[in-house]
């Protein structure tokens, strides 16, 4: 099974590029850019990676992201992730970034998008891995601040396919961003949203009402039979992240995770790594953890991957081309 998992073609739909910042790179950039972080060495960084909940993770994640300054930093970060994709047989990735985290520190958006897209182009040319970029709005900030960020993103429309919503969930429901989502849609962006990670299933319903075409996480959907039925009938993809849910205590134990049960009910469930540098592993490790805890069949493992292909923002032709890789494998 381990070998089957390693070579299974994978598509990643829920990955925060700032969440791929490995401790070594964090320390290096902290020194290079002279940005102090509250950790002196690798051990101290790793010790900080014991989280109680989403917020305790976000505090460390934003401290980490503060070391990213130059265009080359964003390039190096993204390139390192694309090399991980190669190793994990990820053939396509849809990558989140948090523009406000950088704009707020005075980093121009051109540097952020420039560095990331440069690495994505190189990955397409040299590694044969395709990708798209999704800009996430920080939900702990106001809608007004989000709209300002959205306006800065408009000139980069050709590089950014969708707008997402992330950060501290409880108390910041999707409905707080009704106008922002409407504006993003008018501008031609697709919409996705983190919902039902820590907060309840009504956040998922709200995200769908606002036009989200995928739900990031969605773990709490099973508290409503009606919602589960809706997600099934409409094939609304759930981009689930097992190791993240375990690290942030969304699930006490992966044997209790609902992702396989939801797959078996016919939902479009996918497996993703979220913030792999913080949660203990990239795609293969997530697939392996699911196998160890829940023992899905090979067919079910393949289905997670095929679901991700179906749920991706690629064109019909691109999907057909990637589908061939499943039968070569
Ligand atoms: N949830 C919310 N915000 C985030 C996450 C997450 O899992 N990762 C990075 N920002
Ligand atoms: Zn996430």
């Amino acid at each position: 099974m381990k070998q089957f998992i390693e070579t299974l073609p994978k598509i990643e739909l829920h990955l925060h590029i700032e969440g791929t910042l490995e401790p070594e790179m964090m320390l290096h950039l902290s020194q290079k850019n002279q940005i102090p972080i509250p950790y002196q060495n690798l051990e101290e960084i790793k010790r900080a990676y014991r989280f109680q909940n989403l917020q305790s993770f976000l505090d460390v994640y934003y401290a980490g992201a503060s070391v990213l300054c130059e265009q080359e930093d964003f390039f190096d970060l993204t390139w390192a992730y694309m090399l991980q994709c190669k190793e994990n047989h990820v053939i396509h990735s849809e990558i989140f970034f948090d523009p406000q985290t950088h704009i707020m520190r005075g980093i121009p958006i051109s540097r952020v998008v420039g560095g990331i897209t440069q690495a994505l182009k190189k990955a397409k040319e040299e590694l044969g891995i395709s990708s798209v970029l999704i800009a996430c709005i920080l939900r702990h900030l106001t809608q007004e601040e989000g709209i300002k960020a959205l306006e800065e993103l408009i000139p980069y429309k050709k590089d950014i396919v969708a707008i997402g919503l992330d950060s501290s969930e409880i108390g910041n429901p999707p409905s707080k961003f009704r106008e922002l989502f409407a504006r993003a849609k008018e501008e031609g962006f697709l919409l996705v949203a983190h919902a039902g990670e820590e907060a309840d299933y009504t956040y998922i319903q709200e995200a769908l009402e606002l036009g989200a075409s995928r739900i990031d996480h969605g773990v709490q959907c099973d508290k409503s039979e009606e919602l589960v039925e809706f997600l099934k009938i409409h094939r609304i993809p759930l981009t689930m992240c097992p190791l993240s849910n375990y690290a942030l205590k969304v699930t006490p134990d992966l044997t209790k995770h609902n992702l396989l049960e939801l797959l078996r009910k016919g939902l479009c469930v996918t497996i993703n790594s979220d913030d792999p540098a913080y949660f203990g592993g990239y795609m293969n490790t997530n697939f392996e953890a699911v196998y160890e805890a829940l023992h899905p069949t090979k067919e079910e493992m393949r289905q997670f991957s095929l679901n991700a292909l179906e749920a991706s923002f690629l064109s019909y032709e691109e999907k057909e081309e990637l589908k061939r890789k499943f039968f070569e494998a």
Side-chain angles (χ1 to χ4, degrees), residues 70-287:
E70 303 298 330
Q71 180 151 331
E72 64 174 1
D73 304 342
F74 290 94
F75 173 86
D76 291 344
L77 177 74
T78 309
W79 181 244
Y81 167 64
M82 296 315 287
L83 291 175
Q84 285 289 348
C85 284
K86 185 78 189 167
E87 240 184 89
N88 284 259
H89 287 251
V90 172
I91 56 176
H92 174 72
S93 182
E94 311 213 332
I95 300 173
F96 295 133
F97 73 111
D98 288 337
Q100 287 158 293
T101 299
H102 312 300
I103 298 170
M104 286 186 313
R105 298 181 290 122
I107 310 293
I109 193 74
S110 59
R111 262 192 229 170
V112 181
V113 178
I116 297 174
T117 53
Q118 216 180 336
L120 298 183
K121 184 164 174 277
K122 182 174 155 93
K124 177 70 190 164
E125 289 165 1
E126 295 181 15
L127 309 174
I129 302 171
S130 58
S131 54
V132 305
L133 202 48
I134 301 172
C136 281
I137 297 299
L138 299 181
R139 68 199 313 158
H140 68 275
L141 301 177
T142 65
Q143 169 162 258
E144 202 180 11
E145 288 166 305
I147 289 175
K148 250 198 222 154
L150 176 65
E151 282 165 356
E152 284 204 46
L153 295 168
I154 290 169
Y156 299 93
K157 231 191 248 184
K158 72 167 189 11
D159 295 315
I160 300 168
V161 299
I163 298 296
L165 187 64
D166 68 359
S167 193
S168 322
E169 189 182 17
I170 293 174
N172 297 301
S175 55
K176 176 177 163 186
F177 298 92
R178 192 174 295 280
E179 195 188 321
L180 185 149
F181 268 54
R183 289 276 286 279
K185 200 170 171 180
E186 269 170 33
E187 291 292 341
F189 291 108
L190 295 165
L191 305 174
V192 298
H194 282 57
E197 179 183 13
E198 278 189 340
D200 68 50
Y201 72 89
T202 62
Y203 282 50
I204 302 172
Q205 292 172 322
E206 282 190 10
L208 295 172
E209 277 162 28
L210 297 190
S213 53
R214 295 199 300 239
I215 297 296
D216 298 314
H217 291 296
V219 203
Q220 310 299 340
C221 70
D222 61 2
K223 308 297 182 304
S224 163
E225 261 178 52
E226 200 185 332
L227 177 58
V228 168
E229 197 55 24
F230 184 91
L231 296 171
K232 175 183 168 173
I233 291 169
H234 296 277
R235 292 286 296 160
I236 307 288
L238 301 181
T239 66
M240 302 189 105
C241 308
L243 287 179
S244 163
N245 292 158
Y246 178 65
L248 303 188
K249 302 190 178 355
V250 167
T251 182
D253 181 333
L254 280 186
T255 63
K256 309 270 183 338
H257 203 289
N258 59 10
L259 87 181
L260 184 58
E261 197 184 324
L262 293 170
L263 181 88
R264 287 178 178 165
K265 282 189 177 161
L267 274 69
C268 188
V269 176
T270 68
I271 296 177
N272 306 273
S273 72
D274 206 2
D275 301 283
Y278 293 90
F279 300 146
Y282 291 79
M283 285 288 265
N284 284 348
T285 318
N286 273 274
F287 272 73

